Amino acid sequence: MNKEWSELNKKAQIQMKKEADFYEGIQTLLQLRRELFDEICLFRTQLSREHFNSIPFINAEGYHSKTIAYSIWHIFRIEDIVANTLIVGDKQIFFSDNYHHSIDSPIITTGNELVKQQIADFSRALNLDGLYRYAETVKACTDDMLKRLSYADLKRKITDSDKERLKPLNVVSDDEKACWLIDYWCGKDIRGLIQMPFSRHWIMHVEASLRIKNKILHH
């Protein structure tokens, strides 16, 4: 794991444990998210459209067995669902801003159910400009939410009624590779969700994308 990102993440989590340092912890978290997002934006200048669909580790186990386009979709689709449906109780940006059409995505889910060639085919279908606009909008919206959080909010648990609100939206596939996600999120409090998906989840997928990028460019 990238040492600097790992340290920033650790620092944010430690700061947020103490009420006196909570606000600084949020600032550290926002800095981490900024650095990771800068890395995501760099892909646009460094890679061709075809590179975003490339799946050099197709048979590997782990996050790097995907494509970069998929990873961006997956990070922000999950963040949109968790931040807006589960935490804020609002409409997802994906639906409210009609991103379904501007991204041309064949799915509305997190993509956990896709494997191997399906991931490459899915990536090819995406409108990259739309995808990047979506990512930017979701990040900004979550950052605002994080700034509004209080120390007391961290202990707030996701409830059964949150879960019931999420299920009928069909944004998590009922495939066994995906359906566990709902229970996973709904078993956490806000502090747990800050790690997965708002910080550690980003780190893992961005690092995997860097690995894919290096493989493609130094092939």
Side-chain angles (χ1 to χ4, degrees):
M1 196 182 258
N2 176 302
K3 200 164 186 301
E4 192 189 332
W5 296 339
S6 183
E7 288 301 316
L8 268 179
N9 190 29
K10 206 156 76 182
K11 184 180 172 188
Q13 307 304 328
I14 290 167
Q15 287 172 323
M16 280 187 274
K17 280 199 168 89
K18 286 198 188 130
E19 194 164 1
D21 300 332
F22 172 73
Y23 178 72
E24 276 173 44
I26 293 289
Q27 294 308 312
T28 306
L29 174 63
L30 293 172
Q31 183 193 340
L32 170 65
R33 287 165 58 83
R34 254 195 321 274
E35 290 189 15
L36 288 163
F37 197 72
D38 286 347
E39 206 64 60
I40 290 170
C41 291
L42 269 179
F43 295 142
R44 281 308 306 262
T45 59
Q46 297 166 330
L47 300 172
S48 71
R49 177 63 189 90
E50 204 41 54
H51 287 148
F52 280 87
N53 318 327
S54 182
I55 191 161
F57 301 105
I58 192 163
N59 294 314
E61 289 292 321
Y63 291 102
H64 60 297
S65 66
K66 323 289 183 194
T67 67
I68 293 174
Y70 170 93
S71 303
I72 297 169
W73 166 272
H74 178 74
I75 290 170
F76 294 99
R77 202 60 206 92
I78 282 185
E79 180 154 311
D80 190 8
I81 294 165
V82 172
N84 293 306
T85 300
L86 292 178
I87 297 178
V88 182
D90 206 351
K91 203 170 181 187
Q92 288 166 35
I93 288 163
F94 187 72
F95 299 116
S96 64
D97 293 4
N98 228 345
Y99 274 105
H100 199 184
H101 296 294
S102 56
I103 302 176
D104 294 333
S105 171
I107 61 172
I108 64 168
T109 60
T110 62
N112 285 66
E113 67 280 11
L114 303 177
V115 293
K116 299 188 177 183
Q117 194 54 43
Q118 292 173 327
I119 291 175
D121 294 342
F122 162 74
S123 303
R124 206 164 281 115
L126 301 179
N127 177 312
L128 217 53
D129 291 333
L131 180 63
Y132 265 87
R133 275 198 304 276
Y134 177 59
E136 211 169 295
T137 310
V138 171
K139 176 189 176 286
C141 185
T142 304
D143 286 351
D144 285 344
M145 180 205 74
L146 291 168
K147 289 174 197 164
R148 291 196 305 270
L149 283 181
S150 70
Y151 180 71
D153 286 330
L154 292 183
K155 291 193 172 70
R156 196 181 106 216
K157 281 208 171 343
I158 300 300
T159 63
D160 283 345
S161 62
D162 296 323
K163 193 176 184 172
E164 293 318 307
R165 222 181 38 249
L166 176 60
K167 280 181 178 168
L169 298 175
N170 298 320
V171 292
V172 176
S173 163
D174 49 18
D175 183 285
E176 62 177 24
K177 288 187 285 298
C179 61
W180 59 272
L181 272 172
I182 294 181
D183 285 335
Y184 176 81
W185 296 328
C186 294
K188 292 191 176 293
D189 56 13
I190 307 283
R191 182 194 294 282
L193 292 174
I194 283 177
Q195 271 281 25
M196 293 289 266
F198 303 147
S199 54
R200 198 160 154 262
H201 190 241
W202 276 47
I203 293 174
M204 295 188 312
H205 279 287
V206 171
E207 289 194 334
S209 295
L210 286 169
R211 199 170 160 187
I212 295 166
K213 181 191 89 171
N214 291 334
K215 181 79 172 168
I216 294 165
L217 296 182
H218 302 114
H219 189 51

